[in-house]
Amino acid sequence: MKRLIKRKALGMIMLIVMLSATFLLSGCGSNSVGKSPVSNADDLAGATIGVQLGTTGDLYVSDYESEGSTILRYTKAADAIQALKQGKVDCIVVDKAPAEAFLNNNTDLSALEDEFTQEDYAICISKENTELKEKINQAIATLNENGTIERIIQNYIGDSTKGQYPYEKDTTVERTNGTLVVATNATFEPYEYMQGEEIVGIDIDLAQAICDLIGMDLKVENIEFDAIINAVQSGKADIGIAGMTVTEERLQSIDFTDSYTTSTQVIVVRNGESNTITSLKQKIYNNFIDDNRYMYIVKGLLTTLEITILAIILGVVVGFLVGILRTACDSTGKYKLLNLLLKGYLTIIRGTPTMIQLLIIYYVVFASSDMNKVLIAVIAFGINSSAYIAEIVRSGINSIDPGQFEAARSMGLSYPQTMRYIIMPQAVKNVLPALGNEFIVLLKETAITGYIGIMDLTRGGDYIRSRTFEAFLPLIAVALVYLCIVVILTACVSAMERKLRTDGK
């Protein structure tokens, strides 16, 4: 055991050294890939354009595909920025205010003077929720008239006014009208972004101001941008507010309130200048120490482990039950309907992507439920894993010599007794490596929980990237944490294998 741990530790140290060396050789800064070929909107035809998936920029630039342009869509604007810096795209189209935040951190990028298009931001709301829409519209009108919205915007945008007009929650309001659940995507500074453990920004302050007027508590759910409309449609959120523009396509499935501000889309390009070179020490500070950003990794890790452990327990219980029942049905030829249902269950679960199953369980099965998201994730991953565990268990049972069944039955043991005392101990020993691999796969699959707004390990790294616009260190940190857990889990499984082999001699 000690020798195995030493080998694993040595391998991890070598990997860390190699990754660090790769980063240092890359210059710890910005490797210029040249000035963008796009200098105005006319150059977009035939260019490679980056956008955030589902945004207004995505809708507008789609028209250029017919003119030979290649559109690369990213789930986060920060990812599009990284692609631009690395030369994977010629330009990106993004809202002006977030673009200014990007440019403050990247001197090798600049926005073209010509505005791409103007747009009005509004709050999305279900078509059936007309009463709430009317209340919010009245609140927006009041906030516009008394200058609150203007002050909120000035508090986040503008060199001379930034930080001068922080919105304070009205503690004198009686909040007797329930809770307003708001869906957002906190990677869109200055409209919504993470600051420490809190989600802040223009849209969040506006949502709080609206709640103060209509007498409701505020609850903010941080999910992926392209899932916000689905969350509102399914009732998981009352409204969606994330710098969203009213478009004909969106109006087909969702309604919008009156506009609360006007923004513009700009084209961001590489200007050919070298970005300020930052030392590795400074990059580590910016990504992990400043604003205690390492806590995103720590808290995300705890959530990932919680989901994984509970899902493994559920998956093992259900998987062993299904595997044993399937074996019993096949060996006895009885219970054909049950066997057919179990086969259908295995086919559906193993034949569809895990992420689709997670979204269906969250947005469809538990659409009207206020169940904890972590518990929903546990159910989704546990059910998914159980299908694979069931087949692993079934193969382990089938690997046992049929003669042992016959010998046990001839000694007067019942079928359950035979399985419990003779077959299963041997089958578990045979399938333990496969079960260990399934647990490792399950651990890594939990990286998709961010799609329903859970702050897991991967999403913790995403939060850091959205604030620092640095891809390498957050991604490597997350990867190394996953690697450490997998190494520990592999060592534990290997130790159990040796123990079972020793006990069997």
Side-chain angles (χ1 to χ4, degrees):
M1 179 66 179
K2 292 181 178 179
R3 185 178 301 173
L4 175 63
I5 293 177
K6 287 181 179 179
R7 288 202 303 266
K8 298 294 185 181
L10 180 60
M12 288 184 60
I13 293 173
M14 291 178 63
L15 178 60
I16 293 172
V17 170
M18 290 173 61
L19 292 172
S20 300
T22 301
F23 182 59
L24 291 172
L25 289 174
S26 70
C28 296
S30 163
N31 294 328
S32 179
V33 292
K35 187 176 181 180
S36 293
V38 176
S39 58
N40 54 61
D42 294 335
D43 294 334
L44 291 179
T48 302
I49 308 170
V51 291
Q52 183 180 4
L53 179 67
T55 61
T56 310
D58 183 6
L59 297 175
Y60 284 125
V61 300
S62 297
D63 296 336
Y64 285 89
E65 288 183 299
S66 61
E67 300 182 32
S69 297
T70 300
I71 313 300
L72 298 183
R73 296 171 173 86
Y74 300 88
T75 56
K76 298 174 182 62
D79 292 340
I81 285 289
Q82 288 298 321
L84 177 61
K85 291 169 65 67
Q86 295 168 2
K88 292 181 172 59
V89 296
D90 298 323
C91 67
I92 66 169
V93 176
V94 67
D95 296 63
K96 183 176 181 179
E100 291 176 350
F102 299 150
L103 301 182
N104 289 336
N105 292 273
N106 298 274
T107 57
D108 56 335
L109 304 179
S110 59
L112 300 183
E113 293 183 1
D114 296 336
E115 295 178 351
F116 184 62
T117 186
Q118 283 195 342
E119 56 186 353
D120 293 326
Y121 285 167
I123 300 171
C124 74
I125 189 169
S126 172
K127 290 180 179 293
E128 289 75 30
N129 209 345
T130 54
E131 182 179 352
L132 179 60
K133 176 185 173 181
E134 184 178 347
K135 290 181 179 179
I136 293 177
N137 281 338
Q138 292 175 354
I140 290 175
T142 300
L143 294 172
N144 268 320
E145 290 174 3
N146 61 28
T148 300
I149 292 180
E150 182 178 357
R151 287 192 297 272
I152 289 175
I153 294 174
Q154 289 178 346
N155 186 60
Y156 290 93
I157 299 177
D159 296 333
S160 60
T161 60
K162 192 172 183 179
Q164 299 298 313
Y165 305 104
Y167 183 82
E168 298 292 340
K169 177 181 177 180
D170 190 346
T171 58
T172 65
V173 174
E174 293 185 6
R175 304 181 187 278
T176 58
N177 295 325
T179 300
L180 184 70
V181 181
V182 177
T184 191
N185 178 241
T187 60
F188 200 58
E189 187 178 355
Y191 288 97
E192 42 271 322
Y193 61 97
M194 296 297 299
Q195 189 173 75
E197 299 181 12
E198 296 183 3
I199 303 175
V200 299
I202 294 172
D203 288 342
I204 307 305
D205 284 357
L206 173 62
Q208 183 60 66
I210 291 173
C211 286
D212 290 345
L213 287 179
I214 64 178
M216 299 184 73
D217 287 312
L218 175 65
K219 180 181 179 182
V220 180
E221 296 284 354
N222 185 18
I223 61 178
E224 296 294 332
F225 182 83
D226 54 345
I228 291 176
I229 290 179
N230 289 333
V232 175
Q233 286 178 315
S234 65
K236 288 294 183 181
D238 298 312
I239 61 174
I241 181 167
M244 301 187 72
T245 306
V246 182
T247 65
E248 292 297 329
E249 292 82 357
R250 289 172 177 168
L251 284 172
Q252 293 177 6
S253 56
I254 204 75
D255 202 357
F256 283 88
T257 65
D258 295 336
S259 172
Y260 59 89
T261 188
T262 300
S263 181
T264 56
Q265 293 276 316
V266 295
I267 303 171
V268 178
V269 298
R270 297 184 303 275
N271 55 30
E273 299 178 3
S274 296
N275 198 12
T276 303
I277 296 178
T278 307
S279 66
L280 177 59
K281 180 179 179 180
Q282 184 62 41
K283 282 184 173 286
I284 292 175
Y285 177 83
N286 292 342
N287 282 277
F288 304 114
I289 308 302
D290 187 25
D291 204 20
N292 292 325
R293 290 182 180 130
Y294 71 92
M295 289 302 298
Y296 294 137
I297 301 292
V298 174
K299 292 183 178 181
L301 171 61
L302 294 177
T303 302
T304 292
L305 292 177
E306 179 184 6
I307 294 173
T308 302
I309 293 171
L310 294 177
I312 286 175
I313 295 173
L314 176 61
V316 167
V317 172
V318 177
F320 268 71
L321 178 62
V322 173
I324 292 172
L325 289 175
R326 282 271 292 113
T327 304
C329 292
D330 289 341
S331 60
T332 62
K334 300 179 180 179
Y335 313 111
K336 292 184 178 180
L337 178 59
L338 175 61
N339 198 21
L340 181 63
L341 293 175
L342 293 176
K343 285 182 178 180
Y345 166 78
L346 297 176
T347 300
I348 293 173
I349 297 300
R350 295 196 300 163
T352 54
T354 307
M355 188 175 76
I356 299 300
Q357 296 170 21
L358 175 65
L359 295 178
I360 289 176
I361 290 176
Y362 181 69
Y363 288 116
V364 180
V365 178
F366 294 106
S368 59
S369 172
D370 293 330
M371 185 183 297
N372 184 277
K373 290 182 179 180
V374 171
L375 181 56
I376 292 177
V378 168
I379 294 173
F381 289 112
I383 290 175
N384 177 268
S385 183
S386 68
Y388 296 93
I389 292 176
E391 290 301 278
I392 291 172
V393 170
R394 191 170 70 90
S395 66
I397 295 174
N398 291 335
S399 68
I400 307 302
D401 189 342
Q404 296 196 35
F405 280 96
E406 298 171 2
R409 299 305 294 272
S410 67
M411 294 174 61
L413 295 179
S414 65
Y415 185 85
Q417 290 175 323
T418 301
M419 292 295 295
R420 178 179 177 183
Y421 296 110
I422 306 298
I423 304 302
M424 289 308 298
Q426 300 178 73
V428 170
K429 186 188 301 184
N430 292 342
V431 302
L432 190 58
L435 285 175
N437 288 333
E438 173 57 27
F439 297 159
I440 291 172
V441 170
L442 175 59
L443 168 70
K444 293 183 289 187
E445 282 183 340
T446 60
I448 64 174
T449 54
Y451 278 90
I452 62 172
I454 295 177
M455 212 280 278
D456 69 317
L457 178 56
T458 300
R459 195 165 176 83
D462 289 341
Y463 284 163
I464 296 176
R465 288 193 295 132
S466 69
R467 299 292 290 126
T468 64
F469 310 104
E470 167 66 43
F472 185 88
L473 282 178
L475 292 176
I476 289 301
V478 170
L480 289 177
V481 173
Y482 275 116
L483 178 61
C484 290
I485 301 173
V486 169
V487 167
I488 294 172
L489 183 57
T490 303
C492 291
V493 173
S494 299
M496 290 178 63
E497 287 184 67
R498 286 195 303 275
K499 182 72 167 69
L500 288 173
R501 285 198 299 266
T502 303
D503 292 344
K505 293 182 179 178

